[in-house]
Amino acid sequence: MASRVGGRIVEANVAEGQRVEKGDVLVRLDTSRLDIELARLLRTLEADLKELQHLESALKTLADEERAGLEKAEKELAEARQTLEREKCRVEMLAAEAREAELAVEEARGNVERIRPFVPESRPQSDLWDARQKLAVAGIGHGVWRDGGDLRDF
């Protein structure tokens, strides 16, 4: 007869030559060392399970924080994209305004060239008034000739 586990016999339940049947307990071994090892392994398992729970909790917290950080970053990115689009529109509007201003400057230069023949070289006050009057009569300029000889809004 052989045992899979070695150890000291603490109880023998059969005598030599006695008939036994399948399932009968023949001997009891001293399990104190095995019990101590089992208790140590159970404590280690319990500590490992607590550490696993702690790590799972920490992982969940970290995942929640990362998810919140991702949501915040995505929101900031969306806001930045909206700001970029608004600024692009603003730049396009300013460019259009600049083109309009350039056209207005060109128009004003043309007006100056058309008006130049009517402006005398020396500009005493009376000559300037005469030049304005001539421009108003000719329909050039922005002024309005009024009856009574006064020139307004010129």
Side-chain angles (χ1 to χ4, degrees), residues 5-122:
V5 180
R8 190 170 66 93
I9 296 175
V10 291
E11 180 183 333
N13 295 329
V14 292
E16 192 176 323
Q18 179 181 347
R19 275 185 97 53
V20 294
E21 297 195 15
K22 186 176 181 179
D24 287 347
V25 177
L26 305 178
V27 293
R28 296 205 186 273
L29 299 175
D30 180 12
T31 60
S32 60
R33 284 192 326 205
L34 292 174
D35 292 340
I36 292 170
E37 182 65 15
L38 178 60
R40 185 187 69 74
L41 290 173
L42 288 174
R43 284 191 306 273
T44 301
L45 177 61
E46 187 178 321
D48 289 348
L49 288 173
K50 284 182 181 178
E51 180 67 15
L52 178 61
Q53 288 174 339
H54 172 72
L55 290 174
E56 286 175 340
S57 175
L59 181 60
K60 182 184 180 310
T61 300
L62 182 60
D64 290 345
E65 289 172 356
E66 290 300 318
R67 195 173 5 266
L70 175 61
E71 289 172 3
K72 180 182 177 192
E74 287 173 339
K75 181 181 176 185
E76 289 173 355
L77 176 60
E79 290 172 357
R81 284 182 173 154
Q82 288 175 345
T83 300
L84 177 62
E85 287 304 313
R86 280 193 307 269
E87 292 302 316
K88 282 180 181 179
C89 290
R90 185 170 173 249
V91 166
E92 290 174 6
M93 286 179 17
L94 290 173
E97 289 175 9
R99 285 190 297 274
E100 288 177 15
E102 288 170 352
L103 292 173
V105 167
E106 289 301 315
E107 182 182 356
R109 285 183 180 150
N111 289 341
V112 166
E113 291 303 315
R114 276 196 332 242
I115 294 170
R116 191 167 299 217
F118 297 104
V119 177
E121 289 298 318
S122 72

Side-chain angles (χ1 to χ4, degrees), residues 132 141-146 150-154:
R132 285 183 175 170
H142 300 286
V144 178
W145 178 255
R146 306 268 185 210
D150 68 340
L151 192 60
R152 300 187 191 270
D153 299 322
F154 200 93

